[in-house]
Amino acid sequence: MASHDQSCRAAEAKGQAQDKAQAAKDKASEMAGSAQGRAGQTKDQTGSYVGAAKDKASETAQAAKEKTGQTAQEAKEKTTQAAQTAKEKASEMTESAKETGEAGKEKTGGVVQKAAQTLRETAQGAVDAVKHSVGMSDADDIHKRDNY
């Protein structure tokens, strides 16, 4: 009987071990399913985060592109305006220089004309003095020179 008892106990222990093993297997399977479910949720959330990050990056890139285009247009307009202003200023300076040159020419022409007149008068006076000293002049020549 003792061996029968031992056999029964062994069978009972074996059954209990199998039950515990099955329970452990079921629990491990359940935990694996739960972990897989959480991994799927995490993946979905990560995908959402990645999608949101991509959208944000795309929006930021578009905004930067628009700002760069706007800045380039403003720089082009300022450059064009500065070139136009420089052109107008150069034109004004050229006109002023032309007017100053003409005024100087007129003034210089008057001075040269006056100097030429003085030179003619001096030369004529010298000619008359030489004629008078040689005795070739008459009173009419001196009178003509003074009225000239």
Side-chain angles (χ1 to χ4, degrees):
M1 252 276 282
S3 71
H4 187 358
D5 272 341
Q6 283 182 341
S7 274
C8 279
R9 280 192 210 152
E12 191 177 318
K14 182 179 177 187
Q16 287 177 352
Q18 284 177 345
D19 288 344
K20 285 184 179 180
Q22 184 62 41
K25 183 179 174 186
D26 290 345
K27 180 128 179 135
S29 178
E30 183 181 315
M31 288 176 71
S34 175
Q36 188 177 15
R38 284 192 306 262
Q41 289 175 347
T42 302
K43 180 181 175 187
D44 291 343
Q45 287 176 347
T46 302
S48 296
Y49 294 143
V50 169
K54 282 183 181 179
D55 291 345
K56 184 69 175 171
S58 178
E59 289 171 7
T60 303
Q62 184 63 31
K65 181 179 175 183
E66 290 171 4
K67 183 71 174 173
T68 301
Q70 181 181 4
T71 302
Q73 182 63 31
E74 289 172 0
K76 182 179 176 182
E77 289 171 3
K78 284 182 180 179
T79 302
T80 302
Q81 187 177 23
Q84 182 64 31
T85 302
K87 183 179 176 183
E88 290 170 3
K89 190 71 169 174
S91 178
E92 289 172 10
M93 291 174 69
T94 301
E95 185 62 29
S96 176
K98 182 179 176 183
E99 290 171 3
T100 302
E102 288 175 0
K105 182 179 175 183
E106 290 171 7
K107 187 175 182 181
T108 304
V111 170
V112 170
Q113 187 176 9
K114 187 175 182 180
Q117 179 66 29
T118 304
L119 185 59
R120 272 195 304 268
E121 290 172 1
T122 304
Q124 186 63 45
V127 168
D128 289 343
V130 170
K131 282 184 178 180
H132 183 60
S133 66
V134 181
M136 294 179 55
S137 78
D138 64 75
D140 287 339
D141 286 341
I142 294 173
H143 186 267
K144 286 180 188 175
R145 179 182 55 92
D146 289 340
N147 290 331
Y148 185 75

